[in-house]
Amino acid sequence: MAFYGALRAFVSVCVTVAAPLRGPAHDRSRLRICSALLLTGGIVSTGTTAAAEPNLAMQCTQLAGLLLSPAIIGLPTAGAQVDTAEMIAATAHNNQDGEYCRITGSIKPVKVGTPDIRFDVNLPRRWNGRALQVGGGGYNGVVVSGTGVMPFSPNRAPLAQGYVTFGDDSGHVGNSALAVFGLVDEAVVNFGYAHLKKTHDAALALIEIAYGRRPDHVYFGGGSTGGREGYTVMQRFPDDYDGVIANSPALNFSGVRLLGVKVGQTEYGTPGGFVPPPLLERVYQRTLEVCDGLDGAADGIVSDVGACRKHEPDVIASLRCPSGEADVANDDCLSDAQLATLDVLREGLSLPWPLAWNVNRYRGYNVFQGTLFTGMLGLAHNDSRGTSPTIVANGYLFSQGDGYVRYFIARDPGFDSLKFDVLHPGRYQKQIVALSQTIGAMNTDLSRYIARGGKLITLQGLADEVISPNQTIAYYEALVDRFGAGKVDAFMRLYMVPGFQHGSGAFIPSTDLLGALDNWVTRDIAPETLTATDIAAATNGRSRPLCRYPAFPRYSGKGNVNRASSFICAEP
């Protein structure tokens, strides 16, 4: 035991006694020397499967208490530390990940009063030489463990496949609509982008200590906020990643939050603007009546969104109350005020001034093309706001937008978002633009990432009720405008999924995007049409092709309608 205590002290000294003036390059060089010294002592593996097996368990617990110098991390911090390190047996209860070393740690802030960035790193006994950083969701605030199966790797946990996995909480505790951390400058920067680089660098230092070398390939995978994080790392840290899965990405973070405020203002600030869930259900069912069969199959999925959009005026007219006023005797129709609320969603947001990267729009949702707004992440369920809007009572878009205005923009917990002039914010405009730069990921300059051979896969539902699918499409089209279709095709795949909402919907796709990404990066096998299995409870097991945008699945007219082989990818 004395030997292992001395070893831990040696490792700690080895990686922490940095000469700060010499910088990160000196520290990385010294880290390699330290790893080599540990290797000669037989404590750190060589990175090969055979050598890793007998050594990882011995060294894992010795990493607890390890300190990492600020110079190892590429952005300003006060260093990092390993808080715990323990081996998790393959036979542990509910373990889907095989045997691995679980490390928890914390990255220290520069300014007093800023929360730590808490992180997890998982080191598999049988390492495949790759690492996967996993993104968060919402306002984060919960450590992403990197364990278990994931939406983009549903058949087998990445850790069980041999990937080192790591994630973090983005630098604050608690994932709520209030987003109180918006009052703390360094915490906002961490949430926006800095936590990604800081955790990446700390994790790779630990990987190098444990295995004696850096990963052959580093990937990023996430959805929603994690999708925004995926685009963020390509834009800001292109040299750190070889492949990214960024699904349903919250690219224009300020845009969607401001639109959420506009939605709340029409629901609660306009007489009669509240649309109760039964009427939202009526809108959804009416769009199915008109559009479900446009793809050749009456299967509860609106696949041909473009053709459906041509019917939009007639759909809206059929839903409107004859007088334009709410009709108590006819609870199947919508008043003009209620249709105006839905029109805010449909139109999106156009600002008379630009956000960062000269962006002045947030594209609207497919309200009348098969998107259901009655679920947990939909519109308001209550017709009164209350003092602190919640997702359940007041809808995801408004509750999140309300918190953003109060804590990030006005930085006043008592601020009334219903009185906030989104189009003419006055003295708050500068703060909004700055936030769109810090948190948003709308920069289309991916030149460095493309030049390095980086790859990108994005999947999103055409019926997404949280992140507008049309905003994601607009960013893709902006990339094509900038680089040309051929260059974009060489590094990116976009799959827009009919019927899929923000994790729910009439069709919930399950497919192995991580395997597709890894094949693309390591074998140069670019993914084309993929097959997805539906995991929605009512239709579990049916399959559809995942078509590359702008194509969509059309029924061929023969064969089992529940099988992907009966569909073709048709151009709109």
Side-chain angles (χ1 to χ4, degrees), residues 474-506:
Y475 182 87
Y476 168 82
E477 291 175 342
L479 288 178
V480 172
D481 288 343
R482 179 168 190 150
F483 295 108
K487 199 166 187 177
V488 173
D489 184 63
F491 91 97
M492 180 180 183
R493 290 291 182 268
L494 176 60
Y495 299 96
M496 302 301 297
V497 187
F500 184 36
Q501 300 204 183
H502 204 73
S504 63

Side-chain angles (χ1 to χ4, degrees), residues 147-214:
T147 59
V149 297
M150 300 178 189
F152 50 79
S153 182
N155 301 323
R156 192 178 176 209
L159 186 51
Q161 298 178 51
Y163 287 89
V164 169
T165 62
F166 58 96
D168 63 76
D169 67 355
S170 82
H172 62 275
V173 177
N175 186 343
S176 73
L178 295 179
V180 178
F181 74 92
L183 299 172
V184 182
D185 288 341
E186 190 176 351
V188 171
V189 173
N190 280 337
F191 172 71
Y193 63 88
H195 76 103
L196 300 164
K197 175 64 172 173
K198 294 174 182 179
T199 299
H200 168 278
D201 289 359
L204 261 64
L206 291 170
I207 291 169
E208 191 162 2
I209 291 170
Y211 296 113
R213 65 182 179 92
R214 296 171 75 83

Side-chain angles (χ1 to χ4, degrees), residues 128 130-132 150-159 161 163 217 219-221 242-245 247 455-457 493 495 510-531:
N128 66 8
R130 300 168 179 79
L132 171 68
M150 300 178 189
F152 50 79
S153 182
N155 301 323
R156 192 178 176 209
L159 186 51
Q161 298 178 51
Y163 287 89
H217 299 290
Y219 302 143
F220 188 96
D242 302 294
V244 168
I245 299 167
N247 295 339
K455 307 301 181 187
L456 166 66
I457 297 176
R493 290 291 182 268
Y495 299 96
S510 178
T511 193
D512 183 14
L513 296 183
L514 181 58
L517 180 70
D518 188 54
N519 277 335
W520 198 2
V521 171
T522 62
R523 302 178 184 178
D524 200 29
I525 301 175
E528 297 298 335
T529 300
L530 303 176
T531 298

Side-chain angles (χ1 to χ4, degrees), residues 322-356:
S323 67
E325 301 292 330
D327 188 345
V328 177
N330 180 8
D331 58 5
D332 271 357
C333 69
L334 282 76
S335 68
D336 287 349
Q338 290 168 333
L339 286 171
T341 296
L342 298 185
D343 196 53
V344 170
L345 277 172
R346 183 178 68 91
E347 287 293 327
L349 181 68
S350 294
L351 296 170
W353 41 273
L355 298 169

